[in-house]
């Protein structure tokens, strides 16, 4: 099971902005097409151009996304149970291989942002196994469905607008806007708001591509953690300064301890 999906119930809906009450939402899918026209007008008013607005053409309500959202259960596994499944020989070995393969990129990320290679590799592994399991949900459709539904419209309408900005700016083609059911994008499962804030063009091709560019993934994870208070050269284990800095990525202590453990094991074999 992919980590981003597993932890959606725990962390991804915290600290969300509140929209004005005038921004409507609903639960009956019959009103979805009319609601979507309102989103287009809102997006256009915010400066999103034709390419971004066209991403909403033909989008339909996805009951499967609502079923996933309603089916979330409180995470009850202990750290030992969870890390026992997630920290395995494949991820340790693959993490070491990836660091070796992209050694120069990891070195540049640490020089620029102060974030060590093993922690980047650990997050990359736990989120999608280095891009092998990005997810198959259409991100725009997922976000539109969740923004229409009244349960968390105040979170997902801004995320939908941000996703349209990503398409409009040309960083990710619409055909590649796929991920987990809650609208995460790319190899490290950034929500659109995080994508806009933290994604970087680390390979210099003019695009911030967290779907296909490994360099952009490495640089963006490093920037994300640096923006969240990562201390250059400090440790990441529980009790060390950067363990708390991992809260910027995910507030679950079990998840952070698992990230730290996998990073330590990756580092041990370098």
């Amino acid at each position: 099971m992919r980590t981003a999906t597993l932890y959606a119930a725990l962390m991804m809906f915290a600290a969300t902005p509140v929209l004005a009450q005038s921004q409507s939402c609903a639960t009956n899918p019959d009103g979805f097409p009319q609601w979507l026209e309102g989103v287009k007008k809102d997006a256009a008013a915010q400066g999103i151009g034709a390419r971004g607005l066209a991403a909403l053409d033909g989008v339909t309500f996805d009951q499967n996304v609502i079923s996933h959202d309603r089916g979330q259960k409180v995470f009850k596994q202990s750290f030992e149970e969870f890390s026992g499944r997630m920290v395995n020989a494949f991820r340790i070995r693959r993490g070491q291989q990836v660091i070796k393969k992209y050694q120069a990129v990891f070195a540049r990320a640490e020089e620029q942002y102060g974030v060590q290679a093993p922690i980047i590799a650990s997050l990359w592994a736990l989120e999608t196994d280095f891009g092998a399991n990005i997810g198959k949900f259409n991100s725009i459709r997922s976000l539109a469905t969740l923004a229409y539904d009244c349960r968390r419209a105040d979170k997902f309408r801004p995320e939908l607008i941000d996703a349209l900005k990503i398409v409009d700016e040309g960083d990710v083609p619409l055909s590649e806007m796929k991920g987990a059911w809650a609208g995460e994008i790319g190899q490290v499962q950034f929500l659109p708001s995080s994508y806009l804030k933290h994604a970087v063009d680390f390979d210099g091709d003019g695009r911030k591509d967290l779907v296909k560019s490994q360099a952009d993934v490495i640089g963006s994870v490093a920037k994300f953690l640096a923006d969240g208070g990562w201390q250059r050269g400090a440790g990441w284990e529980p009790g060390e300064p950067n363990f708390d800095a991992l809260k910027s990525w995910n507030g679950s202590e079990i998840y952070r301890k698992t990230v730290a453990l996998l990073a330590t094991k990756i580092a041990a074999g370098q």
Side-chain angles (χ1 to χ4, degrees):
M1 183 179 292
R2 291 176 52 257
T3 303
T5 301
L6 181 62
Y7 271 86
L10 286 176
M11 296 312 308
M12 68 182 304
F13 307 122
T16 60
V18 177
L19 295 185
Q21 293 298 317
S22 61
Q23 292 190 342
S24 61
C25 63
T27 55
N28 186 336
D30 292 345
F32 184 78
Q34 183 178 358
W35 172 87
L36 204 61
E37 289 302 313
V39 173
K40 284 186 178 182
K41 292 179 181 178
D42 186 16
Q46 295 188 42
I48 294 174
R51 179 165 53 186
L53 296 177
L56 293 176
D57 292 345
V59 171
T60 57
F61 185 85
D62 190 347
Q63 186 59 52
N64 192 23
V65 168
I66 298 299
S67 297
H68 276 78
D69 188 42
R70 297 294 191 272
Q72 295 181 95
K73 301 186 187 311
V74 177
F75 185 73
K76 295 182 178 179
Q77 283 184 309
S78 67
F79 164 67
E80 289 75 18
E81 291 169 331
F82 182 69
S83 64
R85 289 193 306 108
M86 304 303 288
V87 179
N88 54 43
F90 167 78
R91 288 189 173 121
I92 296 167
R93 181 176 65 254
R94 183 71 179 127
Q96 293 162 353
Q97 292 170 345
V98 165
I99 291 173
K100 183 177 181 179
K101 181 176 182 179
Y102 301 105
Q103 183 176 4
V105 182
F106 278 106
R108 184 158 55 93
E110 182 169 2
E111 179 181 2
Q112 186 165 339
Y113 297 109
V115 181
Q116 303 94 315
I119 204 74
I120 299 173
S122 178
L123 287 164
W124 197 358
L126 291 173
E127 292 295 346
T128 66
D129 278 326
F130 303 98
N133 299 301
I134 287 177
K136 297 181 179 180
F137 283 84
N138 180 301
S139 300
I140 300 294
R141 188 184 187 198
S142 294
L143 290 166
T145 298
L146 291 166
Y148 175 75
D149 179 60
C150 270
R151 189 173 184 213
R152 272 188 298 276
D154 59 343
K155 175 177 180 61
F156 283 104
R157 187 171 177 124
E159 293 291 350
L160 174 59
I161 297 296
D162 284 346
L164 299 180
K165 291 178 183 177
I166 293 169
V167 175
D168 198 47
E169 291 172 3
D171 285 324
V172 182
L174 182 59
S175 61
E176 295 176 6
M177 290 283 282
K178 296 180 181 179
W181 63 264
E184 305 96 329
I185 303 165
Q187 295 191 32
V188 281
Q189 298 289 280
F190 278 11
L191 282 171
S193 58
S194 293
Y195 206 113
L196 292 177
K197 290 176 185 175
H198 307 296
V200 295
D201 174 18
F202 218 53
D203 60 11
D205 70 350
R207 296 172 54 213
K208 302 170 185 176
D209 182 5
L210 303 190
V211 177
K212 291 186 174 180
S213 171
Q214 289 80 12
D216 289 1
V217 167
I218 293 166
S220 298
V221 173
K223 183 178 185 298
F224 188 110
L225 293 176
D227 290 345
W230 192 268
Q231 296 184 33
R232 183 180 297 270
W236 55 71
E237 293 281 2
E240 297 180 318
N242 285 324
F243 184 71
D244 282 343
L246 285 170
K247 286 181 181 178
S248 65
W249 189 279
N250 192 308
S252 165
E253 183 174 355
I254 289 174
Y255 182 77
R256 287 183 288 129
K257 288 173 71 175
T258 301
V259 171
L261 177 62
L262 179 55
T264 297
K265 288 184 177 292
I266 291 172
Q270 285 185 266

